[in-house]
Every structure is written in structure tokens, then in C-alpha cells.
Amino acid sequence: MEWNPETLQFLSQCFLHTLSPQPEPRRAAESSLSEAAGRPNYGLAVLRLVAEPSVDEQIRQAAAVNFKNHLRTRWVPSNDPNDDPAFSPILEPEKDQIKTLIVSLMLSASPRIQSQLSEALAVIGKHDFPKSWPTLLPELVSNLQKAAQSADYASINGILGTANSIFKKFRYQYKTNDLLLDLKYCLDNFAAPLLEIFLRTASLIDSTAASAGGGSPVTLRPLFESQRLCCRIFYSLNFQELPEFFEDHMREWMGEFKKYLTTNYPSVESSADGLALVDELRAAVCENISLYMEKNEEEFQGYLNDFASAVWSLLTTVSLSSSRDKLAVTAMKFLTTVSTSVHHTLFANEGVIPQICQSIVIPNVRLRDEDEEVFEMNYVEFIRRDMEGSDLDTRRRIACELLKGIATNYKKQVMDIVSIQIQNLLSSFAANPSANWKDKDCAIYLVVSLATKKAGGTSVSTDLVDVQNFFASVIVPELQSQDVNGFPMLKAGAIKFFTMFRGHIQKPVVFQLFPDLVRFLGAESNVVHSYAANCIEKLLLVKEEGGNARYTSSDITPYVLVLMNNLFTALKFPESEENQYVMKCIMRVLGTAEISSEIAAPCIGGLTSILNEVCKNPKSPIFNHYLFESVAILIRKACERDASLVSAFEASLFPSLQTILSNDVTEFLPYAFQLFALLVELNRPPISPNYMQIFMLLLSPDSWKRSSNVPALVRLLQAFLQKAPHELNQEGRLSQVLGIFNMLVLSPSTDEQGFYVLNTVIENLEFGVLSPYMSNIWNVLFRRLQDRRTVKFQKSLVIFMSLFLVKHGATNLVNTMNAVQANIFLVILEQFWIPTLKLITGKIELKLTAVASIRLLCESPVLLDASVARLWGKMLDSIVTLISRPEQERVQEETTEMPDIAENVGYTATFVKLYNAGKREDDPLADIQDPKQFIIASLATLSARSPGRYPQIITENLEQANQEALHALCSNYNCTIV
């Protein structure tokens, strides 16, 4: 694309039309730009348009956004074969010109365009800086020094913003030699200029703030923004380790940091925007001193007392407004870090912990108006912040983390003080419940948040209160309140307490309160009915000490009809139509309860109607997953109990599943295929014509084009092969199935799925049917073995050969392989079967391969020949390793290639397995209870036919440890190898 007046006119018109409120010109312009983006020098032309002062600002801004997005998709060539070939990458000559122009253009642009170009520059920097763009940092430094001379803070902040973006990588990447070399380059070039501009700006702030009236806010704001950016760059450059330059100049940095935490700037802070700007700078300072506290404690300790005091004082003055949350959270995090360090003695002085509790913790734990607003207006966000296990930094949570930190070294003192606070809060509530309900909420929150959880488990404990007494006196009255809609935040807190301490509450007490929990599913508050559903779901997971479920089907079956009715009703409340907590509870209840036809009918009706609704616009992946799991478990449990229900489920579900297929609802296709597989397995032959239509769809190559569908399609194909094997050998279907196997097994990403298909074919068809196809099957497998072998493929191959042997005999296995190439069986045995056998994992797979291998040794004439005695011995050595050594001694982790992250982004790209629709693993050797006994007995029988032959082979070919293990096994089973 040449830069000329016509190009300028064309691009200007296109970008103008992209701003049109009318869809037709907007779409036409977007289409024209999309087509033009594939031409060489398009990005350069758009950048020149952005720099053209004669063009309207709005058009140039739209062009700047387009330029940034163009670089995001095309600066680096994609390695993804699924990407649109039209997305041709930007060529090197164009890249060089863009890199030459972009810094100066960014600095001369207006603020809005500057921010877009700064982001675009960061996109380039992410890939090219510093190695492929060595001129960038010197150019930024040179421009920074020029801008500093003239105090041009629009340019200064543009440069600092760009540097901040490109240095962020030092925060998030693992420490490697390459990263440290890049960091050294940046430090050598930028650390000194950064300190210089930071101190220069600090001096300007001081002189401006000291002038009459505290200085002009218009003058001060860009100065504070500049200091904030310097602090963020400081964080990036210090993240990996303490650089020598920063250690040498720590006094200058720390002096200014302390000043921003202890000084007020009334002229700026008098407006909400100005206060937010100063708070952002203070929060950045808190993050920097927290970083030094965590990583450079020894070097930082001289400044610690002053900072602890400054942060502490600051926290007592920070208002409870949500606009100041970030500052409050980062400041409390700093104190928490100090409290768990060797410098925790700062908290030992008399009166310190009570003051922190009263002045910092309690005010930040109490509910604010903003919390009530989020509770009412955005229940998903409230739960996200509040739920047990959330890692979100809220004031309430971080205030409690601060107390936990102090309690690390001063547990008794903290617990005594907080216990008194809790009693005071509850007394305040008792004096006037309707006015002081927030005090009770605060007390409950403190107990819940300060509880300690056992590592890796769900068990919790607290030293603050006696759980049973607190539950009975404080929580139960809220749960038994007949008004489910009164004081909803207090109800939510009580249910949350019940959920957290569910393991402590005795079973009779729980069942006394269970009807109340069911009642709360009808609360109008979305948080309350979500917490009630979550509590019921978590209760059903409680285990006794022996590992058995505390609550069984007989416990909850009496409640199931009313419980399910209330759960389905909860999904009808506004904004709760796709409530993941309610749907997860439905899934858990169906998984626990006995599913009679009286329960199954309303449940499948309710689930189908929800499914039909979400098919129109799938938007909540978690909700939808629990929905399909619920359908799967309902089908499985109901039909296994009463096979006559299969047809009822088909009648209800088929229209919905057909809609998913016919409308190509991409997100739901894997789920639909898994449900079809479950229904096929529950059917009794002959399979109905409806299913045969799906079978034909399954055999179409087009169905297999989406990789996310493959595991579900394999699962469905296995179900058909098991239930309708006689249908396979008609109308060329077996050839089509083997074509699918061929396609899958040749790719390392789907080879395992290919073996699942092949194994099911081998398991369910007679050898006479398979025989004509075996040469082709072996050819495909040998080709893949030759072209691209992996440990995973070799293990799958050994499992397949073992399954073939136990189903169709050793002779058929050896003969069909040797028919492809003379004596190839012995080559495969020596090079692949023997070494790979030791690596097999999985109970059924281990049994299958061990038994098949010993049968091969004892039954195959090829291996009974004296000329292959060494191979016979090596095979037995692998068998003994497999059955006598634990998995961790035999198997090393196979390193797999890192998948392309882009393949797994978003909702539609990945297959999600339905646990409740999973294939039941069949044991092809169910009649052999003890494979070790079978192996030893087979060897004893074989050796009895040729006394004296096998002990010598064993001595010559088995490792010493395996000879001893074999001897021990013979003793255990009272057998002798003679």
C-alpha cells in the first residue's frame, strides 16, 4: 500500500465510517479495512495517517486503535495452522520503518492518541526489545532528557508510560540468563535517568506545593502521574533482585517514598480525581516497600521503623470510601509482611495490637454502604469477593490477613483482643438488633475469616470461639428466622458460617436445620439463595474420619422433591437464571439421592427447559458444565435403577440435543456427543433408527475437523461399537471407522484417541471380520512408529498388541504382523514391546499387558524357539519389573511439548469431560483375579515341560533384583521353575 493522497483519502473515509451509528456503512468500512490490512505497508500507512495533522482528531484516534490491533495480530507470524491465512505477518522492511517513526510520533501526539501509540509500541517491545530493537532505549532516554529540560510532562509521562509497559516483563517471567541480560541492559541505560527525573519531579512538587495556596492542581497532577510511573518502573526493575545502582541510591528513593506517605497535598486532594491520583502514587510506594521487605529485608531494615509508622498512621486516616480501597489494601499488605518477618517486634509494644484492631481492622471489616450496594446490584461480584477460597484482595479480607499475620507471633494476645471485640459487637447487636445488625455481621465475618484451614483439606478450626456454642447462640437464630428476606446480608453471613464449619456441626443438628436451608433457596436475595445452595452442596461432600460420606441417599431422599423444586425455583429469580451455585447443588443432590421415576420426571423436565434456553446464547461455561453433568447423572442413575426410563429420557432430550447438532452450537457439541454415548450404552439392542442417523453423522469426516470434538466423538463411537458391532460390518462402515482411526493415530495430539477407537474395534469384532483389515492397521501403526515415535505412542501400541493377543490369540497377532513384513514381529518385540512394558501404568492396563506378555512367552511358538532364548529372557525381565516394582521406580515423567496457549483460550477451544457420562472402564481379563499368580503358574507349567531350560535363561538375562523378586513370587504362590 503506497502512501499517496488516494491512500490518505481511502483510509480517512474508512475510519470515518467505522464511527458511523448506521450498521451498513460501518460494516462496509470494517470489511474494506480488513481486506486492506493484508497488503504490505498497511500498518505504515495507518501510522502516517495518525500523524497527519490535517485529518480530524476523531479519525486519527480510530486509526491509532486500528494500528495497535493490527500490530497485535500481525507483528509476529502465527504458528497456529488453524489461523486465517489472510492474517499475513508484517514484513521486516515495514517493521523497521514503523520502529523508526513510532517514538517521535507518539511523543508529539495528543494524549488519547499518545496512549494508543504507547500501547502499540509496547506490543512491538514485547517481541523485539531489546535484541531486535537496540535503538529504542537510547531514543527514549534522549527524548526523556530533552523533555525534562523543558519540563514537558506530556512527553515525559508518555515516555515513562512506554518504559513502564516494556519493563513489566521483568515482573512476570522466570529468572533466566537471557532475562537477566536484558534486565542488565535496561538498568545500565535507564536506572540513572529514572532517578534523575524522579528527583527533579520531586523537587518541582515540593516547590509548587510550598507556594501560595498549595500550588495549582493543573500543574501538580502531571507531576504526581510522573512519580507514579517512576514507582511502577522501580517495581519492575527491582523485582528479580536488588540492582547495585538502586542499593547505592536507596537513601534518595526511600526519602521521597516516605514523604509521599506522610505529606498531604490539599490543593490536589480536594477533588476526587486528585485524591485518586495521589492515592495511586501512595499505593505504588506501598508495593515498592513491600517488595523490599519481602526480598531485600536486610538492606531495607534501616528504613523499616519509619515506614511502618508512616503506613500505620496513613491507614488510620484513609476513609472507608471504595475509591481508596487500593491504597488501604496495599498498605495493610505491607504491615502484614512486616508482622510475619523477623521485625515483628514492632508490634510487641504495649497498646499496639489493640490499636491496630480498633483503628484499622474493625473499621475495614465492618460492612460499608458500597458493600450493601454490590450485594444488591451485582451478586456475582459480591460472592466472588466474599466466598471462601477467593484470592481477591478486599479490605475485609486483607484486614483479617493482617490480624492473622500478627497472630503468627502474638497469637494469644490477638485472640484475646479479638474475642473481646466479638463479644462487644454481639452485645451491641443484642441491645438493638434492627439498628446494629452490621455489628453481628462483623462478628461473624471475623470468626469465619480468622479460622485456620488444614493444608490440603477442608477441615477448619478457630481459637476465637467455641464453634458449637457460637453456632447455637449466634447462627441458629438467623437460620430459623421465618422471614427469609429480612436482613439478607446477615442471613448470608450466617449461612457462610454454617458452610465453613459444616464438619463441626453434628448430623442431628444439621438435619434439624436442613428444612431451613431448603427454605432459604426461596430467598429473593440472589446471594442468600446462592449461599444456601452452596451450603447444601458442600454438606453433601462432608466425609467421616473413615472417608465415608456423612450424608447418604437415605438421609436426603425424604427432602429431595421439595429440595429440587426449590432449586429450580431459585433459577427463576432475576439474574439467577444461570446461577452456577444452584446448578452445582442440583448436580450434587442428584448424585447423592436415590432417583425414582417420581423424582426423575420433574427433574428431566426442569433441566431440559433450562438446556433449551441456554442453547440460544451460551454464556456461562461453569453453569453449563454443571447443567450437563446434572443431566448425565440423572440419566445414569435413573436408568440403571429402572431401564424403562431410557425411552422417557430420549423423548425429553432428543429434541434439545438435535437442536445443538443442527444449529451447530459449538460450545455444546462435545457435551451432546457424550450424552448420546451414555444413552447408547443404556439402550438394549437393537439400536433405534434415531441413533443410526447419529452413527452416520459420526462416520462423516467433517464431524472430526474440530479438535475440541474429538474426545467426545471417540467416546460416542466406542459406545456404538460396543452396542451395535453387527452394524459395523455393513455398508462399508468398518472401513470408515478404521479411516477415523488412521486419521487420529497419525497425529501426536490425537493418537491416544485413535487407539481408543482401534481397541474397541478389536474388543468387539470377531477375528474373521477383522482379518482383511489387519495389514492396513499394522502399516499405519508401523509408519507412525517410524516417523514420529513418542513414549505415549509406544505405551498405547503395547496395550493394543496385548489386547489383540488376549482377544484373538498369540498366533493371530504374530502372523498378521509378519504378513506385513517378514519377521517384523521379533523386531517390534525387541525394540518396543520389551523396553516399553516396564513403563505401563494403570491397574487394568498393567494387568492386561503383564498377562498378555506371559501368554506370549508361554504360548507363542516363535518365542519358544531356542534361537530367541535371549529375547525370551529379556521379555520376562520386563514382566517382573512391571509386576514387582512400584510405579515411581519404573516410570519417569514424560516431558510433553508445551501446548500452544492460543489453542486453549476461551470457551469453545477445549473439550471438557463429563465425569458422570464417562465410559465405565471394562476389564478384558475379569476372570483373572490375581495377575501375579497367573504369571507364576504359567511359568511353572511351561518349565515343567522342559526341565532345566528356563532357570539358565533366567540367570543369564534377568537383573539380579528381578531374579530375587521372581524367586520371592514363586515362594509366595508355592510354584517352582524347574
Side-chain angles (χ1 to χ4, degrees):
M1 182 176 273
E2 285 185 41
W3 181 247
N4 53 38
E6 290 76 19
T7 301
L8 175 62
Q9 177 67 19
F10 164 72
L11 290 174
S12 299
Q13 283 300 310
C14 283
F15 286 119
L16 177 63
H17 289 315
T18 62
L19 303 171
S20 169
Q22 303 300 319
E24 290 82 8
R26 190 171 68 245
R27 284 188 195 126
E30 287 166 355
S31 174
S32 296
L33 288 170
S34 179
E35 185 273 325
R39 296 186 220 156
N41 294 322
Y42 169 82
L44 193 57
V46 174
L47 184 59
R48 285 184 163 146
L49 168 66
V50 172
E52 186 56 56
S54 63
V55 176
D56 181 78
E57 169 94 4
Q58 260 193 316
I59 293 173
R60 289 193 290 137
Q61 192 178 337
V65 172
N66 177 274
F67 174 73
K68 173 188 72 179
N69 293 333
H70 179 72
L71 298 195
R72 276 186 177 146
T73 53
R74 297 174 192 256
W75 192 265
V76 176
S78 170
N79 295 321
D80 188 344
N82 300 316
D83 270 359
D84 186 342
F87 270 68
S88 50
I90 299 170
L91 301 176
E92 289 304 321
E94 183 182 356
K95 284 184 176 182
D96 291 341
Q97 289 188 68
I98 287 172
K99 287 193 282 196
T100 302
L101 294 172
I102 191 167
V103 174
S104 58
L105 291 182
M106 179 198 75
L107 295 178
S108 61
S110 62
R112 286 182 177 176
I113 292 174
Q114 186 181 75
S115 70
Q116 295 299 327
L117 292 181
S118 176
E119 285 182 47
L121 195 153
V123 170
I124 305 171
K126 182 181 175 185
H127 300 291
D128 288 21
F129 177 79
K131 292 182 180 64
S132 301
W133 198 358
T135 58
L136 174 61
L137 209 49
E139 189 177 358
L140 288 176
V141 169
S142 165
N143 279 295
L144 181 64
Q145 287 164 339
K146 277 185 212 160
Q149 293 298 329
S150 57
D152 174 7
Y153 273 86
S155 293
I156 289 170
N157 291 348
I159 295 163
L160 292 175
T162 301
N164 182 38
S165 295
I166 60 176
F167 293 157
K168 273 182 186 173
K169 73 174 185 175
F170 298 121
R171 301 183 203 172
Y172 307 121
Q173 292 185 17
Y174 286 113
K175 189 187 286 190
T176 61
N177 286 337
D178 282 350
L179 187 78
L180 292 177
L181 283 171
D182 288 354
L183 176 57
K184 183 180 184 307
Y185 169 81
C186 294
L187 288 165
D188 290 347
N189 284 279
F190 206 81
L194 178 69
L195 178 60
E196 188 182 329
I197 192 67
F198 182 68
L199 294 176
R200 182 189 289 259
T201 308
S203 174
L204 277 173
I205 288 174
D206 291 347
S207 58
T208 308
S211 61
S216 158
V218 176
T219 308
L220 283 168
R221 280 185 184 184
L223 303 182
F224 280 110
E225 173 60 12
S226 179
Q227 297 301 70
R228 184 191 73 80
L229 288 166
C230 286
C231 284
R232 300 313 290 145
I233 295 169
F234 176 99
Y235 188 84
S236 296
L237 295 179
N238 282 270
F239 189 87
Q240 294 290 341
E241 52 190 35
L242 177 60
E244 187 180 342
F245 180 87
F246 284 93
E247 186 174 1
D248 292 344
H249 295 276
M250 199 183 292
R251 186 175 53 78
E252 293 103 307
W253 282 105
M254 295 304 152
E256 294 305 317
F257 286 172
K258 183 186 164 196
K259 186 171 71 186
Y260 296 129
L261 295 180
T262 53
T263 309
N264 291 322
Y265 300 92
S267 69
V268 181
E269 293 179 55
S270 58
S271 71
D273 288 352
L275 178 61
L277 186 60
V278 179
D279 275 359
E280 282 180 11
L281 171 57
R282 289 171 179 145
V285 167
C286 287
E287 289 191 69
N288 287 343
I289 59 176
S290 290
L291 179 72
Y292 267 46
M293 190 63 221
E294 287 168 22
K295 298 196 171 190
N296 312 308
E297 193 176 325
E298 187 181 334
E299 295 84 353
F300 181 65
Q301 64 180 350
Y303 304 94
L304 178 59
N305 278 10
D306 285 350
F307 275 114
S309 172
V311 170
W312 188 342
S313 301
L314 181 65
L315 273 170
T316 58
T317 61
V318 171
S319 72
L320 295 173
S321 163
S322 59
S323 63
R324 308 198 75 184
D325 282 359
K326 186 177 180 189
L327 173 59
V329 165
T330 51
M332 283 189 274
K333 278 186 169 180
F334 170 72
L335 288 183
T336 306
T337 304
V338 175
S339 74
T340 55
S341 74
V342 294
H343 302 288
H344 60 77
T345 48
L346 289 170
F347 297 91
N349 296 334
E350 192 175 340
V352 170
I353 296 174
Q355 192 183 342
I356 285 178
C357 192
Q358 286 157 16
S359 305
I360 297 174
V361 175
I362 298 295
N364 281 295
V365 169
R366 280 183 67 85
L367 281 171
R368 300 171 297 166
D369 292 344
E370 289 92 334
D371 299 319
E372 291 184 73
E373 195 174 306
V374 175
F375 182 91
E376 289 167 14
M377 305 300 292
N378 188 347
Y379 86 97
V380 174
E381 178 62 18
F382 182 88
I383 293 174
R384 198 166 71 90
R385 294 179 186 182
D386 186 58
M387 236 346 161
E388 171 195 352
S390 163
D391 58 356
L392 210 68
D393 294 339
T394 64
R395 281 198 188 207
R396 299 187 100 189
R397 188 177 298 279
I398 297 301
C400 289
E401 289 301 315
L402 172 56
L403 268 188
K404 280 184 181 177
I406 298 170
T408 307
N409 295 292
Y410 306 98
K411 185 169 183 178
K412 186 175 185 311
Q413 202 178 339
V414 168
M415 292 304 160
D416 289 348
I417 292 165
V418 177
S419 294
I420 292 166
Q421 289 284 349
I422 287 169
Q423 290 309 313
N424 292 342
L425 289 163
L426 292 174
S427 299
S428 165
F429 169 78
N432 189 344
S434 58
N436 299 337
W437 65 269
K438 288 183 182 178
D439 288 341
K440 182 172 184 177
D441 173 87
C442 185
I444 295 171
Y445 190 91
L446 282 168
V447 177
V448 168
S449 297
L450 294 175
T452 51
K453 202 174 204 176
K454 283 187 182 169
T458 55
S459 174
V460 291
S461 61
T462 179
D463 295 317
L464 279 174
V465 295
D466 178 289
V467 172
Q468 307 285 354
N469 289 341
F470 191 87
F471 185 74
S473 60
V474 178
I475 303 300
V476 170
E478 295 303 326
L479 298 177
Q480 291 183 331
S481 160
Q482 291 310 297
D483 180 6
V484 294
N485 297 317
F487 298 104
M489 296 191 86
L490 200 46
K491 300 287 193 298
I495 298 169
K496 184 180 166 192
F497 182 97
F498 192 178
T499 307
M500 173 163 260
F501 291 100
R502 59 194 176 273
H504 293 258
I505 314 301
Q506 292 174 345
K507 191 169 175 178
V509 177
V510 169
F511 273 104
Q512 186 186 340
L513 295 165
F514 200 75
D516 295 306
L517 280 178
V518 175
R519 223 167 22 89
F520 275 110
L521 293 169
E524 289 170 9
S525 162
N526 291 13
V527 175
V528 172
H529 62 242
S530 298
Y531 277 19
N534 182 59
C535 185
I536 293 167
E537 189 265 327
K538 293 284 191 287
L539 280 169
L540 296 181
L541 291 174
V542 174
K543 298 273 193 292
E544 298 290 14
E545 280 188 17
N548 294 323
R550 181 178 292 180
Y551 303 101
T552 62
S553 58
S554 59
D555 292 322
I556 70 158
T557 298
Y559 301 97
V560 168
L561 275 174
V562 65
L563 174 54
M564 296 306 291
N565 180 57
N566 284 16
L567 284 164
F568 282 120
T569 302
L571 292 170
K572 291 175 183 167
F573 282 109
E575 296 181 23
S576 228
E577 296 88 352
E578 296 187 27
N579 186 316
Q580 69 186 58
Y581 304 101
V582 174
M583 187 50 72
K584 190 177 187 184
C585 185
I586 289 173
M587 177 193 77
R588 192 73 63 210
V589 171
L590 290 173
T592 307
E594 286 293 332
I595 308 295
S596 63
S597 53
E598 294 77 30
I599 293 168
C603 287
I604 195 60
L607 291 171
T608 307
S609 110
I610 295 166
L611 178 55
N612 291 339
E613 205 52 45
V614 296
C615 275
K616 296 172 187 173
N617 181 20
K619 54 181 186 285
S620 174
I622 298 172
F623 174 85
N624 293 332
H625 181 74
Y626 291 142
L627 168 61
F628 281 99
E629 286 284 15
S630 300
V631 173
I633 201 162
L634 181 63
I635 294 170
R636 172 161 269 162
K637 288 188 72 175
C639 297
E640 284 178 352
R641 178 177 166 148
D642 180 358
S644 68
L645 288 172
V646 173
S647 56
F649 279 110
E650 288 172 345
S652 289
L653 274 173
F654 257 54
S656 306
L657 298 179
Q658 293 283 15
T659 300
I660 292 169
L661 298 186
S662 56
N663 294 348
D664 196 28
V665 184
T666 315
E667 298 89 336
F668 289 173
L669 284 172
Y671 290 131
F673 294 136
Q674 289 176 85
L675 290 182
F676 275 129
L678 184 57
L679 287 166
V680 168
E681 284 174 347
L682 290 165
N683 257 268
R684 289 177 181 160
I687 299 289
S688 80
N690 284 340
Y691 286 109
M692 293 316 294
Q693 289 174 3
I694 295 160
F695 194 19
M696 299 321 296
L697 173 76
L698 190 57
L699 297 180
S700 158
D702 287 348
S703 301
W704 297 80
K705 284 182 177 172
R706 283 197 195 113
S707 59
S708 55
N709 288 345
V710 167
L713 288 168
V714 167
R715 166 89 183 85
L716 179 53
L717 186 53
Q718 286 179 293
F720 274 117
L721 296 178
Q722 283 176 311
K723 279 290 175 177
H726 56 283
E727 303 281 358
L728 250 191
N729 210 25
Q730 298 171 19
E731 302 173 22
R733 287 181 192 140
L734 183 52
S735 295
Q736 291 173 286
V737 169
L738 292 173
I740 291 165
F741 145 73
N742 190 345
M743 171 188 70
L744 295 175
V745 88
L746 290 178
S747 164
S749 62
T750 57
D751 53 9
E752 215 165 13
Q753 300 293 332
F755 274 110
Y756 292 159
V757 173
L758 183 59
N759 291 347
T760 313
V761 169
I762 295 300
E763 213 168 345
N764 290 286
L765 296 185
E766 298 299 323
F767 182 71
V769 176
L770 290 169
S771 181
Y773 300 94
M774 285 312 302
S775 288
N776 183 52
I777 290 170
W778 290 122
N779 268 317
V780 169
L781 293 172
F782 296 159
R783 187 164 85 244
R784 170 64 208 279
L785 204 53
Q786 194 171 9
D787 293 346
R788 191 170 179 187
R789 74 182 64 134
T790 61
V791 175
K792 181 182 70 163
F793 179 83
Q794 289 170 211
K795 284 158 75 172
S796 295
L797 178 62
V798 169
I799 291 165
F800 163 67
M801 293 189 293
S802 301
L803 182 66
F804 188 102
L805 186 148
V806 301
K807 287 292 176 182
H808 305 296
T811 303
N812 283 332
L813 175 70
V814 174
N815 290 347
T816 56
M817 289 173 77
N818 284 340
V820 175
Q821 185 181 321
N823 295 321
I824 195 169
F825 172 75
L826 289 177
V827 175
I828 296 291
L829 185 77
E830 181 169 13
Q831 293 186 12
F832 299 106
W833 194 323
I834 290 171
T836 306
L837 184 60
K838 304 171 187 178
L839 308 177
I840 299 297
T841 56
K843 187 177 177 183
I844 290 176
E845 290 84 352
L846 191 149
K847 176 181 176 181
L848 169 67
T849 51
V851 169
S853 299
I854 203 69
R855 281 185 55 181
L856 196 58
L857 290 188
C858 298
E859 296 172 16
S860 172
V862 175
L863 280 166
L864 293 173
D865 192 290
S867 63
V868 294
R870 184 185 63 82
L871 273 187
W872 191 98
K874 292 299 175 193
M875 182 73 154
L876 181 59
D877 189 54
S878 284
I879 295 170
V880 176
T881 299
L882 181 67
I883 63 172
S884 66
R885 295 192 197 174
E887 198 173 292
Q888 60 268 30
E889 283 182 31
R890 294 186 288 108
V891 183
Q892 287 187 324
E893 280 294 315
E894 183 182 3
T895 53
T896 52
E897 290 179 18
M898 182 73 175
D900 182 358
I901 296 302
E903 289 176 4
N904 296 316
V905 171
Y907 189 165
T908 61
T910 52
F911 163 76
V912 182
K913 183 179 178 181
L914 285 176
Y915 174 80
N916 293 300
K919 184 178 184 295
R920 297 285 166 89
E921 205 169 0
D922 297 319
D923 182 356
L925 295 167
D927 54 325
I928 297 176
Q929 295 299 311
D930 184 348
K932 291 180 182 178
Q933 183 179 25
F934 178 87
I935 288 164
I936 299 303
S938 301
L939 284 171
T941 305
L942 176 68
S943 72
R945 294 205 297 266
S946 308
R949 178 181 173 191
Y950 292 101
Q952 184 183 349
I953 297 174
I954 288 167
T955 303
E956 289 172 359
N957 293 288
L958 267 68
E959 291 178 17
Q960 185 60 40
N962 283 348
Q963 290 184 41
E964 291 166 11
L966 183 60
H967 179 71
L969 286 166
C970 287
S971 298
N972 285 351
Y973 293 109
N974 201 23
C975 292
T976 310
I977 299 171
V978 293

